[in-house]
Amino acid sequence: MPFSLNDPALMREMILDHYQNPRNYKTVTDPSYIDIHMDSASCIDDIYIQVKIENNIITDCKWHGKGCAISMSSTSIMSELILNMTIDQAKEVMAEFNKMLAGETFDEDKLGEAVCFQRVNNQPSRITCANISWRGLQKAFLEEEKKEHEHR
């Protein structure tokens, strides 16, 4: 579903919708999930990301915690976007998201609703808020790689 990158009102509306109605917001106690805690020294962001990976596929992503509108909506969008992706596919999406936040040319087709954060780089202090959960996802992938390495 293409989004107009030239409509700031639509971008704000998407961010607000995911902030007020976060998707996949739930605490999971299942030990098969990788549980990553991320917080920020510069904002109220304190988020737990819980990812279930089976056979290299992200089969579930839940999260809980508190944060600003940017971090919570970004986490909500990420939790939907990465479902049923392989780790490599999700890493490609993360790379495009980070390019976008850096103000570089990026593939908007890979980002879906995450393109609503394309103007965040106008406020550098908010980049940390927008990518806190994405950095947590990267940590989850490192945990998964460590587990895979130990099982060999």
Side-chain angles (χ1 to χ4, degrees):
M1 179 171 162
F3 298 97
S4 170
L5 296 179
N6 299 317
D7 189 348
L10 177 61
M11 301 294 169
R12 281 191 303 275
E13 187 178 310
M14 286 172 27
I15 291 169
L16 193 56
D17 178 49
H18 277 272
Y19 176 64
Q20 293 174 333
N21 308 293
R23 281 52 151 197
N24 300 307
Y25 190 89
K26 181 180 180 182
T27 302
V28 178
T29 57
D30 182 338
S32 67
Y33 282 71
I34 298 168
D35 197 359
I36 301 292
H37 176 232
M38 298 294 290
D39 61 359
S40 172
S42 62
C43 196
I44 63 167
D45 302 335
D46 190 18
I47 294 174
Y48 293 82
I49 298 157
Q50 298 178 290
V51 183
K52 186 166 188 168
I53 300 171
E54 297 175 297
N55 299 317
N56 202 39
I57 306 273
I58 301 161
T59 58
D60 200 11
C61 181
K62 302 290 189 222
W63 65 280
H64 62 280
K66 65 181 181 197
C68 67
I70 297 294
S71 68
M72 290 187 67
S73 57
S74 181
T75 306
S76 175
I77 289 171
M78 181 199 75
S79 73
E80 287 189 315
L81 189 58
I82 63 167
L83 279 182
N84 301 313
M85 285 186 176
T86 65
I87 290 173
D88 285 343
Q89 289 169 326
K91 284 180 177 180
E92 285 178 33
V93 172
M94 287 189 331
E96 294 305 314
F97 188 76
N98 286 322
K99 284 182 198 173
M100 178 184 70
L101 292 181
E104 299 170 7
T105 302
F106 63 96
D107 184 348
E108 64 187 78
D109 293 334
K110 289 190 177 182
L111 293 182
E113 286 186 331
V115 298
C116 69
F117 297 101
Q118 70 134 8
R119 288 186 166 81
V120 166
N121 63 7
N122 294 337
Q123 297 175 289
S125 63
R126 305 300 283 185
I127 291 172
T128 301
C129 302
N131 75 10
I132 191 167
S133 57
W134 297 81
R135 287 182 286 117
L137 183 64
Q138 179 62 40
K139 285 185 176 186
F141 293 159
L142 292 173
E143 289 289 320
E144 179 67 10
E145 288 171 17
K146 209 183 306 179
K147 280 197 305 190
E148 290 297 314
H149 188 71
E150 290 169 2
H151 284 72
R152 287 184 195 167

